[in-house]
Structures are given as C-alpha cells and as structure tokens.
Amino acid sequence: MNRKILDLAIPNIISNITVPLLGLVDMALMGHLGSAIYIGAISLGGVIFNFLYWMFAFLRMGTSGFTAQATGRKDRNESELILGRSFVLALFFGVLLIILQVPIEWISFRILGGSEEVKQLASQYFFIRIWAAPATIGLYSLTGWFIGMQNARIPMTVAIIINIANIIFSVFFVFVLGMKSAGVALGTVLSQYMGLLLSLWFIHKKFGSPFSHLSRKQILDVKALRIFMQVNRDIFIRTLCIIGVFTFFTSKSAGMNDTILAVNSLLLQFLMFFSFFMDGFAYAGEALAGKYFGAGSKSKLKKVSQLLFLWGISLGIVFSLIYFFAGNQIVAFLTDQTSIRDAARPFIWWTALIPVTGFAAFIWDGIYIGATASTGMRNSMLAATFFLFIPTFLLFQHSLGNNALWLAMILFLFGRGLFQTFLAQRAIFSRMA
C-alpha cells in the first residue's frame, strides 16, 4: 500500500511544489525592485485572491471525494456526471467574479490595511489578475476529478507547465517590459488559461469525451446537485475559516507597518511551501481513502490512514530541522533588502514549529475529504479558529506584538489536527459497516 501512496503522492508533491516555488519567485522578483511596497502589494493582492479562490476550493475537494468513491464502486458514468456538474459550477462562479470585480475590489481594500502606495499597486494587480477567475476555478474542478480518478500524473504535468509559463511570463513582463507587480498579475492570467486548455485536452485524450454523451438534464439534475452542494457547504465554511485566519493575519501585519507586512509575507512562504508539499500526501489520502470508503473496505482505509501519518510525522521533522538551521539563508534568498532581513530575524524561529505542529491537519484533511466527512472538517476548523487562533492573538497582542500573531498561527495549526483526531472515529470509521 505504500507503493500506492507514493504513486499518488510523488506526482502531487512535484506539482504542488511548483506552486510555492512560483510564490517564492514572485516574492524574489518584487524583493529586488528596491522597495518593500512591491512585496506588500502582491501580498495584499494575493490575500484577496486567496480569499476569492479558496472559497471555491470545495469544487476541487468535493469533486475529488465523490469521484474517488465512484471509482471505488466502479461507477464510471457517475464519475463523469460529477465532472460535468463540477465544471459547470466552476465556470459559472468564475464569470460571476469577473462581473462583480469592482465591488469586490472596493470592499477588499476597505477591509485590508496597508499604506496608500501599497494599496494602489495592489489594486492594479487585482484588476488584471481577476480575468483568470474562470480558468483558475475551472482548474480546481478538473484537478479534483483527476485525483479522484486515481491519476496524479496529469495534474502534475499541467501544474508544472502552468508554473514554468507563469515564471517566464512574469520575468519577461517585470524586467523586460518594466511592468513590476502588474507584470506578475498578467503572467498569472495567461498561464492559467493555458493550463485550463491543456487539462481539457488531457481529458479528451485519456478518457475520451465524457461531456459528449451527458445531457444537460443529467448534469443539472436538481437532486444530485443538492447532494453535491450539501457536502460542499461544510467544506465551504471550513475554507472560509482558513481564509479568515490568513486574511486576519495579513491585515494585522499591515496594520503594524509595511516592514512587518513584508516580513510576515516572506515568512508565510515557509508555511505555504510545507503545506503544498504535505498536500501531496493529503491528495493521496483523498484518492485512496475515497476509493476504500466507496468500496466499503474499513480495514484498507485504516491501513492507508496509518501509513499516511507515518509519512506525515517523518516529513514534519525533516522540514522543522531545515527551517531551524537554514531559515536565515532562505530569507536572504527571498530579498536583498537588509532592513527586511534584519526585521525578520527575531521571528524566523517560529517557522521551525510549523511542520511538527501542522502535519496532522493536512493528513486528516485528505482522509476526511476522501470519505466526504465534511461536517467533521467544518467543526474542527471552527473550533481551531474561534477557540484558539482569535483568542490567543487578542490575549497577547499588546504584550507580544508580532509574536502574538505567530503564536496564534501555530496553535491554530496544531488545534486543527488535534480536533480532527478526536472526531475521526465518529466522522469516518463509524459510518462504514
């Protein structure tokens, strides 16, 4: 079973690892333009799009879980119907975001802090990148379906091509055309549509034309859509909590000063890098847990869960050691500005706690998604957000300053995994015969 885990995890790790690398490249591009405002601009812009897109992450997660269960039951027709429903919803939501871009921008920058210079650049970034919405959300749907079909290599190929193209476009627009933060946004738009078209081509080549024999009545079946959305409602709430935590974190950072905003934005890349790496195993958990849950094999589900946790704790220890001993060197790579490097130094040690305290949450997320145990995911996230993250910051913000933000984040990560562990038996295993 370890072989099955690695066959799914390794391609997902390779594809996921290109995402934080892209974030690192964007930060490095902005970090070498001579001012912290450029880092702050794409950080604020990134927060807005994280909020917008993460709201629709349920399309990837729900699609993955339902498709994996259909695969476990060997029901190919149902898996294709899930793809059709998910993709139609993705395109609808993407177009809706473009239509609502002006009020979204207005509300976003009334909520977020930052200097006027930073917000002006971030606004320019926003109005360019928003045009990628249909492609980005559409890719969530297609990626979830590939994972549910136990195919991790196609998403890996697409992700690599997207991110290489994005880096090439961004470097060209920023340094050749002098577009600065706007160039990073335009590079993202072009690469996302390239990835969407490539994914559709892979579906046609590998799986035929699943859309061709599906009627509109089948895809838009009200009862089926209601079931799909009921499960995804809980995932949506869970995702809103994550968005809220990271938005709160960035907003409070911006409220301190531009330097702290830049520092925390850089240090969050440590968390993002680890999370995308761990998601490789979480995605493997989605595919295999969903397959065994759909097939009704409790023994195999328990076995794969145990093996995933062994991988999780091992990787958590490795990453914590890397961050502890090489944290300063990583920050130095991200920016050549001495003032930001110096300001980051007192807070780097927090990054070494991220992997060992957060690995369980990522592994459980994959297992819960595969079993479509959305209620347990939602309740765990609500508890970690409102009983740990927010109270910790409010209690220590005046005495600890920026350290209070990082303490709250570490407790949030640890709490998620802890609560999911307590709920797992009832949420997942007791639902199986």
Side-chain angles (χ1 to χ4, degrees):
M1 194 170 289
N2 259 321
R3 178 63 182 271
K4 292 181 179 180
I5 291 174
L6 292 176
D7 283 346
L8 288 164
I10 291 175
N12 279 313
I13 288 170
I14 294 172
S15 59
N16 287 337
I17 215 169
T18 64
V19 177
L21 284 177
L22 174 62
L24 291 174
V25 170
D26 286 348
M27 284 290 180
L29 288 173
M30 297 298 98
H32 289 80
L33 291 180
S35 174
I37 64 172
Y38 294 109
I39 295 177
I42 64 168
S43 176
L44 288 184
V47 166
I48 295 171
F49 284 105
N50 285 342
F51 183 88
L52 292 177
Y53 294 148
W54 285 0
M55 283 196 302
F56 302 107
F58 67 84
L59 284 171
R60 190 203 65 73
M61 298 178 189
T63 303
S64 174
F66 279 116
T67 303
Q69 290 180 25
T71 300
R73 294 191 299 268
K74 303 185 186 303
D75 190 343
R76 177 65 180 270
N77 185 66
E78 179 62 20
S79 69
E80 292 180 353
L81 284 170
I82 292 167
L83 171 62
R85 291 165 188 148
S86 176
F87 192 62
V88 167
L89 286 171
L91 295 183
F92 170 77
F93 289 130
V95 172
L96 184 64
L97 289 182
I98 291 177
I99 294 172
L100 298 176
Q101 62 180 286
V102 173
I104 290 172
E105 187 271 349
W106 188 87
I107 293 171
S108 298
F109 287 103
R110 293 303 177 276
I111 295 174
L112 296 173
S115 67
E116 287 303 314
E117 284 184 296
V118 168
K119 288 194 287 187
Q120 183 178 1
L121 288 172
S123 179
Q124 183 185 43
Y125 175 93
F126 171 86
F127 281 120
I128 295 173
R129 188 175 166 185
I130 190 65
W131 288 93
T136 301
I137 300 174
L139 280 166
Y140 285 175
S141 171
L142 300 183
T143 299
W145 191 75
F146 284 129
I147 293 171
M149 293 293 288
Q150 315 293 299
N151 190 317
R153 294 186 182 275
I154 291 177
M156 175 189 71
T157 302
V158 172
I160 290 173
I161 292 174
I162 287 175
N163 288 295
I164 290 176
N166 201 340
I167 291 170
I168 293 172
F169 286 143
S170 295
V171 170
F172 176 76
F173 293 142
V174 171
F175 288 127
V176 177
L177 299 185
M179 294 178 65
K180 298 181 180 178
S181 55
V184 172
L186 182 57
T188 299
V189 173
L190 295 178
S191 61
Q192 290 294 298
Y193 279 103
M194 179 185 297
L196 180 66
L197 294 175
L198 185 61
S199 294
L200 291 172
W201 179 80
F202 272 123
I203 287 177
H204 176 75
K205 181 180 179 182
K206 180 74 174 178
F207 302 99
S209 300
F211 296 116
S212 62
H213 66 277
L214 298 178
S215 69
R216 181 184 304 177
K217 183 178 180 180
Q218 286 177 305
I219 293 175
L220 300 180
D221 180 80
V222 175
K223 182 179 179 181
L225 284 172
R226 185 183 297 118
I227 294 172
F228 185 82
M229 293 306 295
Q230 282 175 346
V231 169
N232 286 294
R233 174 196 60 200
D234 292 330
I235 299 177
F236 176 78
I237 294 170
R238 169 257 187 197
T239 303
L240 278 182
C241 288
I242 294 181
I243 294 167
V245 165
F246 281 92
T247 302
F248 183 92
F249 188 96
T250 301
S251 179
K252 291 301 179 181
S253 300
M256 295 179 189
N257 56 62
D258 285 348
T259 298
I260 290 297
L261 173 60
V263 165
N264 285 352
S265 298
L266 291 174
L267 296 184
L268 276 178
Q269 298 304 309
F270 289 70
L271 171 57
M272 294 303 168
F273 186 85
F274 176 71
S275 68
F276 282 112
F277 196 95
M278 284 301 302
D279 274 344
F281 283 90
Y283 290 178
E286 292 177 27
L288 294 173
K291 180 180 178 180
Y292 297 140
F293 188 90
S297 179
K298 183 185 290 189
S299 61
K300 289 184 177 180
L301 179 56
K302 287 186 175 181
K303 179 65 175 178
V304 77
S305 300
Q306 292 168 356
L307 291 175
L308 285 168
F309 267 89
L310 287 175
W311 282 106
I313 186 61
S314 300
L315 291 170
I317 292 171
V318 169
F319 270 87
S320 286
L321 291 173
I322 292 172
Y323 289 172
F324 182 80
F325 289 107
N328 286 305
Q329 288 76 14
I330 295 172
V331 170
F333 167 78
L334 294 176
T335 180
D336 61 356
Q337 297 180 50
T338 304
S339 60
I340 297 178
R341 291 181 182 180
D342 292 340
R345 195 165 289 114
F347 308 108
I348 290 176
W349 68 275
W350 285 109
T351 65
L353 297 178
I354 291 170
V356 291
T357 59
F359 78 92
F362 295 108
I363 296 298
W364 273 129
D365 278 351
I367 298 169
Y368 272 68
I369 290 167
T372 56
S374 56
T375 302
M377 289 182 67
R378 179 200 66 194
N379 292 343
S380 297
M381 185 62 69
L382 288 170
T385 302
F386 293 104
F387 296 152
L388 290 176
F389 180 79
I390 293 176
T392 298
F393 176 75
L394 294 178
L395 183 63
F396 294 107
Q397 61 176 322
H398 297 300
S399 58
L400 297 180
N402 191 41
N403 284 301
L405 272 176
W406 283 103
L407 175 61
M409 180 62 74
I410 294 299
L411 291 178
F412 168 74
L413 293 171
F414 179 73
R416 281 178 58 203
L418 186 65
F419 295 138
Q420 285 173 308
T421 300
F422 286 142
L423 293 175
Q425 181 61 38
R426 183 176 63 182
I428 300 174
F429 300 106
S430 64
R431 292 166 54 205
M432 302 178 69

